[in-house]
Amino acid sequence: MPEFFESRKLRYEIHTLSEKRWQIAEIVDDGRSAHCERINRSEFEEVERGVLDKANALLAAGEFEAVRVLREREREDGFATTSEIFFREASAGKGEAPVTVSRYDGPMSPCATPEELYSRRACKVIGISLRAYLDRQLITALELVHFYPYIRKLNDCGSLVQAALHQTATAQVRTSGGDLKTRLDELQNLIAAVETNARDAMAERRLPVIAEGQLDTFAECIKARYEGAARRFFTVVAIARHFQGSQSTLAKLDFALDALVGKAPDAMAPLLDEFAAGCLDGSQLVMDLLGHQPNLAAALLALTALARGDTAADNGGAPSTKLRSLIAAGRLPLVVDGLWDRIAREFSRGRPLSRQDDKQEWDVLIKTADELLAVSPEAHKGAIVEAVTLRKRRIREAALLGD
């Protein structure tokens, strides 16, 4: 069965919103008529990335309130369907938000070695605590702790590191006991060791590079050169070098997904899962994959479908399609865990589930909670139940205050 981009001509419209009016800024077609009747997956993805880059560039110019992209698919018989694949609002007039530390409310077990800090468990915490910095640099927590240029930039952000360390130490002492000053000293020493490892890695002149379509060759070179923990460490360093200066988290996610779809070397599959999970720690990429949603309840249910690998809910975008297929095949367990963490976290926050009517909030809450709990993994049910209880209490308190 042919892919949709093989059997249908594609046409993209980039729209800009100005003074509450949408206008077409540019029309882009897939270019197949210029050279052939069909395009392959890599050509389709190149066209789509180019369109999204143009949309992001228009938004970054600061002249528009929002930008969206519509994709039209036309069959040979002339039947066409249109779907929105990108929507983003500008933050014009607000200025650039300061880089701050975000609060992490989950369990935070102490790390004793750099290797523990490199793990997904620790990087998940870093990905939340330093979200503002990571988003500004367009990097993952995994890249940050392995690549010295990113650590150096982080150190230039004033008291950001100290604020993150103090929050982490406080949470760990609260969970595991001990003395706050002692734990802060231990964290300082741990961070110093991680920074030293990353700085020393910069001097590694013969580090294998990742060539297009040759991940197998890269993996063999890494395997021949390094053993044990050093093999994993320098693999991530090489990935960070490969993407240094990249302006797209989507490109990094695509890299991991393409490698897994192409049956990446078994030794690299878990690391690619970690890298993809780190990319999806950022909210904006997740929002782009889901497309515009009418309210938080709809966004949570769409995110649930993504976490389950539900291809029926796919919006047709290439990254979303690959992601759902790999999740459905059970090849991205860390990605799935991260998505369910996000669902529980977003559900527990105070943002209304419905934008339409405050009076509908209770009914929307019950309906959304039932749907989430019916399909959530056992490991995440407790967090969702806790979030439901918190939301119910908020609604009751608001009703009492209203009376």
Side-chain angles (χ1 to χ4, degrees):
M1 181 177 178
E3 298 272 16
F4 74 86
F5 54 82
E6 294 178 317
S7 58
R8 300 189 182 191
K9 292 177 65 176
L10 303 176
R11 177 179 176 273
Y12 300 86
E13 291 184 0
I14 305 175
H15 294 193
T16 57
L17 180 65
S18 181
E19 297 181 351
K20 299 183 179 180
R21 293 182 58 191
W22 286 103
Q23 293 185 325
I24 297 177
E26 187 170 351
I27 296 175
V28 181
D29 63 34
D30 58 22
R32 73 182 70 204
S33 59
H35 64 281
C36 63
E37 289 301 317
R38 287 177 178 263
I39 60 174
N40 58 35
R41 176 173 289 278
S42 63
E43 290 174 318
F44 158 69
E45 292 176 356
E46 182 179 354
V47 170
E48 193 140 300
R49 275 195 294 268
V51 171
L52 296 181
D53 285 345
K54 290 180 179 182
N56 277 309
L58 284 170
L59 194 66
E63 299 177 3
F64 306 106
E65 299 162 25
V67 174
R68 69 184 180 190
V69 176
L70 304 182
R71 184 208 291 139
E72 179 186 90
R73 310 186 216 173
E74 183 182 348
R75 292 194 317 218
E76 292 181 357
D77 61 5
F79 176 77
T81 58
T82 301
S83 60
E84 182 178 87
I85 64 168
F86 177 92
F87 175 90
R88 189 177 295 176
E89 295 178 329
S91 55
K94 298 180 181 177
E96 191 173 63
V99 177
T100 57
V101 175
S102 300
R103 181 177 174 179
Y104 178 81
D105 294 321
M108 205 180 292
S109 303
C111 294
T113 66
E115 286 71 28
E116 289 180 336
L117 194 68
Y118 300 146
S119 71
R120 173 59 187 164
R121 173 177 64 86
C123 284
K124 188 191 298 184
V125 177
I126 296 170
I128 293 175
S129 300
L130 294 178
R131 188 74 262 150
Y133 173 79
L134 297 172
D135 285 346
R136 180 123 355 142
Q137 301 299 324
L138 293 172
I139 59 174
T140 65
L142 192 65
E143 292 170 283
L144 171 63
V145 295
H146 285 80
F147 200 49
Y148 183 67
Y150 298 144
I151 296 176
R152 187 176 62 242
K153 286 184 180 180
L154 177 60
N155 290 335
D156 291 339
C157 292
S159 60
L160 188 65
V161 175
Q162 294 306 314
L165 290 178
H166 193 276
Q167 175 181 272
T168 301
T170 301
Q172 291 176 348
V173 168
R174 186 168 55 245
T175 301
S176 306
D179 175 67
L180 178 59
K181 184 180 183 305
T182 300
R183 185 55 195 154
L184 272 171
D185 289 342
E186 291 170 349
L187 282 174
Q188 292 279 13
N189 292 334
L190 179 61
I191 295 302
V194 167
E195 187 169 337
T196 298
N197 289 347
R199 187 188 299 111
D200 291 346
M202 295 297 292
E204 189 77 5
R205 300 301 180 188
R206 293 188 295 150
L207 182 66
V209 298
I210 301 173
E212 185 71 28
Q214 297 183 27
L215 197 61
D216 285 351
T217 302
F218 166 76
E220 287 300 319
C221 292
I222 285 285
K223 183 178 179 180
R225 184 166 173 77
Y226 305 104
E227 295 182 356
R231 183 178 298 165
R232 182 186 189 279
F233 176 80
F234 281 106
T235 299
V236 181
V237 172
I239 291 173
R241 282 190 186 182
H242 179 70
F243 283 108
Q244 186 176 13
S246 172
Q247 295 300 304
S248 172
T249 311
L250 176 61
K252 297 178 184 181
L253 178 63
D254 258 345
F255 164 80
L257 300 182
D258 282 341
L260 289 166
V261 168
K263 297 183 179 178
D266 289 342
M268 284 195 66
L271 185 55
L272 291 168
D273 183 17
E274 281 190 51
F275 189 52
C279 293
L280 291 165
D281 283 340
S283 298
Q284 190 58 60
L285 179 56
V286 174
M287 290 166 60
D288 290 345
L289 289 173
L290 297 181
H292 180 57
Q293 300 294 326
N295 53 41
L296 179 58
L300 289 172
L301 294 177
L303 189 55
T304 300
L306 178 63
R308 299 179 65 209
D310 184 356
T311 55
D314 192 5
N315 63 10
S320 175
T321 301
K322 287 182 287 189
L323 182 60
R324 290 170 193 271
S325 297
L326 288 166
I327 288 174
R331 302 191 63 193
L332 292 173
L334 295 177
V335 165
V336 171
D337 180 69
L339 291 175
W340 277 105
D341 271 352
R342 175 179 293 279
I343 291 166
R345 193 165 62 248
E346 293 295 336
F347 200 39
S348 67
R349 291 176 178 167
R351 190 155 60 99
L353 292 168
S354 173
R355 292 180 182 175
Q356 301 298 323
D357 187 348
D358 290 343
K359 295 180 180 179
Q360 295 181 1
E361 189 69 13
W362 182 272
D363 292 338
V364 174
L365 167 60
I366 300 303
K367 181 177 183 297
T368 306
D370 287 346
E371 293 192 41
L372 293 182
L373 289 170
V375 296
S376 67
E378 287 298 324
H380 296 274
K381 283 188 186 295
I384 294 175
V385 169
E386 185 177 338
V388 173
T389 303
L390 182 59
R391 278 189 174 271
K392 286 181 176 179
R393 184 164 65 245
R394 288 188 187 128
I395 293 174
R396 290 191 184 105
E397 289 172 353
L400 288 173
L401 289 173
D403 293 340

